[in-house]
Amino acid sequence: MKSKISFFNPGLFKSTLRRFWPLWAIHFAGWFLVMPMLTLINSMGSNRYDDFVFTMSESAIFAAPIVAFIMAIISAMAVFSFMYSSRSTGLIASLPIRREAIFGSVWLGGLTAVTGSNIVIALLTFLFSLGTDVNSALALKAICTWLGVYSMQFILFFGIASITAVMTGSIVVLPILYVIFNFLVFGMEAIIRMHFSYLIWGMSNLSYDCVLDFLSPIIYMTGDFVPHVGYRTVPYAFDSFSSMSSTRECIAFTFDHWLPVIIYCVVGLIFSAAALMMFRKRRMESAGDVVAVRCLRPVFKYGVAACSALCGGLLLYAMLYSLFNVPALSVVIMIPSMIVFAFIGYFGAKMLLEKSFHVFRGGWVGFIVICCLCAVFTLCCDLDVFGIGSYIPDLSSIQSVSVYSAGEIKQPGAIESYRELHLKILSQKDKYEKLGESSDISSSLLFAYTLKNGRTITREYDIPGDDEICEEYYDLMNSPAILIERFTPRIPVTVENCISAVLWTADGYEVELAPEQAVDFYENALLPDIMAGRKIIGGDAYYIATLSISLRSSDESQSDDYSDLMVDISTDCTECIAWIQNNFGSELLTLPDTNE
């Protein structure tokens, strides 16, 4: 009769729980103090908050990925510690237990200790929350949301920690590999985008739009993985001053990111299964090796070399470029900079793998391949082989465009005009790329597109200030449609909403305006200048004063809503100048002499 393969050994499972009980106790105590204990204190206090359990659950879910990230690597270092010394590996190998049972028992021990304590924490928190006038069903939903989210996040990170634990034979290297594994894609994308900003004309490093952040779960989940808590204000009594008092009542607790959390959980289980497969083939005598799986050694060596070339090469390039500051030499400087650090990374990785400093007699073929790849990468960026710098999103996919001075523009006609201007710049790339490098006086023209899917595409160009492109760029932002959008605050400019208004002049005068004056200036001076198409914002505008208006909603239900309007008054703003001179005298403003 054929025997079945067992993936579980009760004795080893119990030993894992017993040996590392201080770790499990610390984890339990930490969450106990944060959730059940604080909930109990709130229930027994004189000033009880009925919505405390929802606020606490919201905060716990926000902190869950960070706690899971840390707890997973600590648990993996504990339960897989037998793999990192010759004595312990010899002991575990002498046991009459298959490797599948060894791995399954210790892995399940770490998972059970954490998720089991999570269930107890959730149960205690719910029981202690019943001491307040809380919606018990909604409170149970909030606590179970934390339980599900945190437990699945732990499974993900524990799976990542398990596969990195099997890859290495050093407990010191394990947390380093774990951190690299979690941040590798996010970090490399950021570094490569910085290479693009130096080598590809028009690429801007002013904003960073990560496309592959979902491959770095800790980054992705610490973004907006928070629940939505809905409240309503409920009046409940009159106080001693005959004023109605009110309290908040939670009416909804929803978490909209279950699908990615479930996918991440499945990925964690897949990583754990892959770790089991690797553990079955892993040589036990590899304890102490940086990379314990032989087939992964080339991956480690070339991976370290590539990362070193990209990161260190960029740093050395930035230092050298600041000395020479010659854009034409970008490629000449970048390639040697990358090769220098590729050499450090490649042979440094060989030293770690071979545990020897004598690594220079062989392996040069691999280093030459890395050098060729560095040169190809740099040349592809400089020539923009893949058209990254010339990419402009389709008009139908653009939600808004941001430009210098005018800010975010949502008016469809203006978006189309700026996109056409952008296309015009790209059609004359050879001309403007050379002029931008040789011109002493240039203007930076920014095109930052916000797409309907939430992504941002940013391009920036240095164009000579006297070129027609610059004039068209600023003429567009001074069109009435854009200026109306730019100077129409979220809160209407009314006497009731105006809380302060201050006029500063270039000569150093500061004048406070009454709310009536601020509204009069806005309606009878600024808006007429805008509708007349006069230049209010621009790269070469000569500003003589600045007016700032602070607004607060007069609606009591939105009394904490604030907005500001700041206007730089140029010499072209004839209506604004006339208004200031009529209200405060002609001596307040010093106008430039047009005869000079």
Side-chain angles (χ1 to χ4, degrees), residues 235-246:
Y236 67 93
F238 287 94
D239 58 20
S240 57
F241 297 97
S242 299
S243 298
M244 178 68 74
S245 300
S246 62

Side-chain angles (χ1 to χ4, degrees), residues 254-389:
T254 57
F255 184 74
D256 299 329
H257 305 282
W258 282 112
L259 180 59
V261 170
I262 293 172
I263 293 175
Y264 277 142
C265 180
V266 173
V267 170
L269 295 174
I270 294 174
F271 278 143
S272 298
L276 170 60
M277 299 302 174
M278 294 172 60
F279 181 72
R280 293 176 62 187
K281 305 296 183 181
R282 185 182 187 272
R283 295 183 305 115
M284 285 298 191
E285 59 270 22
S286 61
D289 293 348
V290 173
V291 179
V293 181
R294 186 170 295 274
C295 63
L296 294 178
R297 292 191 172 192
V299 177
F300 176 79
K301 179 172 61 177
Y302 289 106
V304 171
C307 292
S308 178
L310 288 170
C311 300
L314 183 65
L315 178 62
L316 182 58
Y317 168 84
M319 296 171 60
L320 295 175
Y321 185 83
S322 63
L323 295 176
F324 298 100
N325 196 21
V326 181
L329 298 178
S330 295
V331 175
V332 179
I333 298 174
M334 180 64 80
I335 293 177
S337 299
M338 294 183 68
I339 290 176
V340 168
F341 277 89
F343 176 86
I344 296 173
Y346 182 82
F347 288 101
K350 284 196 68 176
M351 292 178 187
L352 292 174
L353 292 174
E354 300 178 14
K355 301 179 183 179
S356 172
F357 291 108
H358 304 289
V359 295
F360 298 104
R361 293 184 179 180
W364 287 93
V365 175
F367 172 67
I368 293 173
V369 171
I370 290 292
C371 293
C372 293
L373 292 176
C374 292
V376 170
F377 172 78
T378 304
L379 291 173
C380 287
C381 290
D382 184 64
L383 299 175
D384 195 13
V385 173
F386 300 103
I388 297 173

Side-chain angles (χ1 to χ4, degrees), residues 8-21 24 105-106 109:
F8 180 74
N9 181 272
L12 194 54
F13 174 77
K14 294 177 182 177
S15 175
T16 301
L17 296 178
R18 184 176 61 254
R19 288 179 59 204
F20 305 109
W21 71 265
W24 319 133
S105 300
V106 299

Side-chain angles (χ1 to χ4, degrees), residues 449-502:
Y449 301 98
T450 300
L451 307 186
K452 294 178 180 178
N453 61 6
R455 287 192 57 199
T456 58
I457 306 294
T458 305
R459 299 293 183 265
E460 186 179 17
Y461 307 94
D462 289 330
I463 305 295
D466 56 353
D467 191 86
E468 61 178 4
I469 288 290
C470 276
E471 295 179 4
E472 187 174 352
Y473 183 84
Y474 288 107
D475 285 344
L476 278 174
M477 70 175 61
N478 280 284
S479 63
I482 291 180
L483 290 179
I484 286 293
E485 185 176 352
R486 168 70 174 81
F487 293 108
T488 301
R490 186 180 66 259
I491 300 175
V493 182
T494 62
V495 174
E496 295 78 15
N497 294 336
C498 181
I499 56 176
S500 68
V502 182

Side-chain angles (χ1 to χ4, degrees), residues 153-175:
Q153 288 173 341
F154 177 79
I155 292 174
L156 165 69
F157 291 119
F158 193 51
I160 296 175
S162 298
I163 197 169
T164 52
V166 176
M167 288 180 181
T168 183
S170 172
I171 198 170
V172 176
V173 176
L174 170 56

